[in-house]
Amino acid sequence: MTEGDVAPAPATPTPDHDPAVDRLAEGLAARGVALAGARVLLLGLPECRDSEVSAVPPLAGLLHAAGALVRAVAPHAATAAHPAGLLCVPLTARELSEADAVVLLAAPRKTDRPLVERWAAYVHDARAAPRM
């Protein structure tokens, strides 16, 4: 991963659309990959407690609806289904290297950052821009 491979955070989303999806599609297209069928790894999924479906960000559903193969890193999960049906996987070099894009929902933990920098081919920053 190089600095040029990190896409900036999107503008504020509307309820039924998120500009992060368009920006991700553009970033993938520049690499010759279509969003439909792309393997997208979400990093920074909120912890899920007691089957909280709301822990899955709307972006995950929008990416799935666009045809992306969406997986998410859950800090304490082995490969398992999230209560909302999202496949949660551990953060490994293999997951990162097999992903067409890694989407940051939160900043990577200090211990995870070197792994992401080494193995992710394309990182898309979907974190909300700070408000002034």
Side-chain angles (χ1 to χ4, degrees), residues 71-102:
R71 296 161 77 90
V73 171
H76 304 291
T79 301
H82 185 277
L86 184 63
L87 182 65
C88 293
V89 297
L91 183 64
T92 64
R94 182 175 183 166
E95 285 293 338
L96 289 163
S97 66
E98 290 180 354
D100 294 304
V102 174

Side-chain angles (χ1 to χ4, degrees), residues 55-83:
V56 176
L59 180 60
L62 293 171
L63 290 171
H64 180 72
L69 306 171
V70 184
R71 296 161 77 90
V73 171
H76 304 291
T79 301
H82 185 277

